[in-house]
Amino acid sequence: MKSHVWRPAFVVLALIVLILIVRAFYVSKDFGIWERGYMYGFHRKSNEDEWKAFTVKYKSAEYCKDCHSDKYSSIMQTPHAVIQCENCHGPALDHPSDPPKLTVDKRRELCLRCHYPLPYPTSGRANIRGIDPEKHNPGIECVMCHNPHKPSLEGMK
Amino acid sequence: MITRRKFLKNTIAGIAGLALPAAGAEIVSPRKLFAARNDTISGPNVRWAFLVDTYKCVGCGLCVKACKLENEVPYDANVTRTWVERYVLTKDGRIHADSPKGARDGFTTSKIDLGEGRFHDIKKEDIDKAFFVPKLCNQCENPPCVQVCPVGATYQTADGVVLVDRKWCIGCGYCIMACPYGVRFFHPVYHVAEKCTFCYHRITKGLKTACVQACPFGARMVGNIKDPNDPVSRIIRTERVSVLKDEYGTRPQVYYLGISREVI
């Protein structure tokens, strides 16, 4: 056969080889079909470990209770026992080393998440006591009078 | 010359040949067999599933706050991996629904957020029923978002969680369009597809997801559906649960207690 037939064939072959070489360097070795088959499991396996290595920031009240046992045991006697420390105090991360001090969210809006009255049937919200933020001492933080660790009215400051 | 016997013989042989499926000629690859073996029925003994009890949800949004901080989703950008929707059904038959900022700050007004700074106030006596519905990635058994990915950047792990490989995602957005539940979005910092991972870094260490841990009312639960003694798996088996958009055939693995047909 004449060369004008072979020439494009060589170009195509060279391209294929080039692409395969690039692929060998660019695509990691663990890229392939994994447990969930071709349709759902086609991926780079090591990415699963990358996600597993993500930093845990919320440590739960279990992490707080050893050092802050006084606060822990007092809030456990109240209806606020269901609320995690970190919901108001912020994620613990590696406290006390990093961050050394947590910032407490003292805004009225934090309390209103639950204590703005919404009388919704078939929702637990209707059972929580609430206040009208526009009439109930507007402008000052709730913690000026109420102790969130002892929320009953006897625990008022 | 063709005889009747020969003609019938050839016809039967021809039909039999045509009936042979193309799959019969396929060479069985061990890898594919391995994949099939690890499918839903047998295979690894962990399959993460989620349960939402909408009766318990009060719409405080602490789950959304915890999720955003735990998973480093930019706090003030209007994107979130999980959110809470409010449904208010009035006596005139209308459905009012909103989820301002994905309920990151909860619901601290009775006014329904219509967007663009407009609000609709509903009187208490007009309400027929009203409730909150937390939403998150359904970690579907047949995830359409994974099927459409042209580069293999999004995938399902053996324990059923759909993840995105940030190094491989090219940001084409097909998966964002393909998800019937609208749970995917572009990450404002990494510019790749972003979604709920069921806090893969937490559940694989035996912790609860950030949203489950933050919920004061136990409205959210995460568990292993393949463990018959797991509380989540027991509730799914023994109680009347439903899933979202069942008709899409995605087989979602986030189960709901107490949603009505208005919830989509």
Side-chain angles (χ1 to χ4, degrees), chain A residues 53-92:
Chain A
F54 203 78
T55 318
V56 173
K57 298 169 193 74
Y58 278 81
K59 296 285 167 78
S60 97
E62 292 298 302
Y63 183 81
C64 315
K65 75 173 184 189
D66 291 335
C67 304
H68 303 282
S69 55
D70 52 329
K71 294 277 165 42
Y72 180 83
S73 48
S74 73
I75 200 167
M76 277 302 159
Q77 312 298 319
T78 76
H80 276 182
V82 293
I83 304 170
Q84 288 285 334
C85 313
E86 289 162 304
N87 280 346
C88 309
H89 292 266

Side-chain angles (χ1 to χ4, degrees), chain A residues 30-32 34-35 40-45 48, chain B residues 152 155-156:
Chain A
D30 57 347
F31 194 98
W34 295 97
E35 292 90 344
Y40 302 125
F42 182 59
H43 67 286
R44 186 168 60 91
K45 189 72 174 168
E48 290 177 24
Chain B
Y155 59 93
Q156 196 176 38

Side-chain angles (χ1 to χ4, degrees), chain B residues 155-173:
Chain B
Y155 59 93
Q156 196 176 38
T157 60
D159 45 10
V161 178
V162 176
L163 298 175
V164 179
D165 186 341
R166 284 182 178 162
K167 283 187 189 148
W168 270 108
C169 179
I170 56 170
C172 70

Side-chain angles (χ1 to χ4, degrees), chain B residues 146-196:
Chain B
V146 174
Q147 287 186 38
V148 299
C149 181
V151 293
T154 186
Y155 59 93
Q156 196 176 38
T157 60
D159 45 10
V161 178
V162 176
L163 298 175
V164 179
D165 186 341
R166 284 182 178 162
K167 283 187 189 148
W168 270 108
C169 179
I170 56 170
C172 70
Y174 285 0
C175 55
I176 296 170
M177 302 302 290
C179 174
Y181 307 97
V183 304
R184 283 180 175 247
F185 55 92
F186 276 116
H187 194 290
V189 177
Y190 301 107
H191 303 292
V192 294
E194 173 77 1
K195 70 181 286 296
C196 161

